[in-house]
Amino acid sequence: MADQGTETTESGPGAAATETGGARAAAAARAYYDSSDVDAFYDSFWGGEDIHIGIYAHEHEQVATASRRTVERVAAKVSHLLGPDRTVLDLGSGYGGAARYLAERFGCRVTALNISEEQNRRHRTTNAERGLDGLIEVVTGSFDDIPFPAEHFDVVWSQDALCHSGDPARTLGEAARVLGPAGEFVFTDIMASDDTPTEAIRPLLTRLAAPALSTPGQYQKLLSQVGLTEVDFEELSRQLRIHYTRLTEEAQRFHAEPDGAVSPGYLAKVRENLPLWQRACRDGLLVWGIYHCRR
């Protein structure tokens, strides 16, 4: 995941930013995820392996368990393209939980592209500890400028990272560019509903320092424009509500020590922000699910 902190002049909740906005988004994402408070928050509340929305078997399930189920669900959609002779690009790879799952489960080679060098250092260390550094290459960079040639990967993968792009059209264009002719693009994302006003969700995004959210309608249009015309969307917005309810519960139970990894000030901001996400989910302002795209 990656985040961006400056406002844009969008006309809707997910209107594409300018190229300058995309650069600001990358810089803000790097600053956000390199923060010690943010790093400790994801480690403490998600379990330090996966940092994306979970798919819950019941409403009291552990966040880490549900988050791993999401990885398994997404992988199942492209399992026919995964194997020892296959290549995967993970955009916004975070701590590398999905990359390690794919490498361990299928033996495929994974390139993990992520903006935060702090996360990437942790990712590389964990890969080495598990003997996976020969299958996973961790690259520091932006998904707006993917440093690989065209048609290079069998699968392009992303989980809840594209919502932080300052230029969704460019990001999706880059994903399509590096995808092989028979390759497939799978991603999850947090979106605004097509009829959600920008101002209705702006307060939600302060913790993530994100400028806006795309909508399903915008994604459908942009994916078609970059040549990914076969698009399946599994809508799972109920899971988003459960996920933010679980995070809110965990935040209320968590006790921040003055000298601890998560500072009391940051925890107070989290406790104030997470209920906004709960209410937005309840009011139908947000959408979440899995996209599966082909040419």
Side-chain angles (χ1 to χ4, degrees), residues 85-98:
D85 59 340
R86 298 291 191 166
T87 57
V88 178
L89 174 64
D90 184 359
L91 299 177
S93 53
Y95 295 137

Side-chain angles (χ1 to χ4, degrees), residues 61-106:
E61 189 169 37
Q62 291 294 315
V63 173
T65 302
S67 298
R68 177 41 49 103
R69 185 176 293 110
T70 304
V71 175
E72 296 168 352
R73 181 83 148 257
V74 176
K77 294 182 181 293
V78 290
S79 59
H80 57 289
L81 290 176
L82 302 175
D85 59 340
R86 298 291 191 166
T87 57
V88 178
L89 174 64
D90 184 359
L91 299 177
S93 53
Y95 295 137
R100 284 187 289 275
Y101 174 82
L102 295 171
E104 286 181 321
R105 171 70 176 81
F106 299 98

Side-chain angles (χ1 to χ4, degrees), residues 2 10 51 82 292:
E10 70 274 46
I51 51 174
L82 302 175
H292 183 194

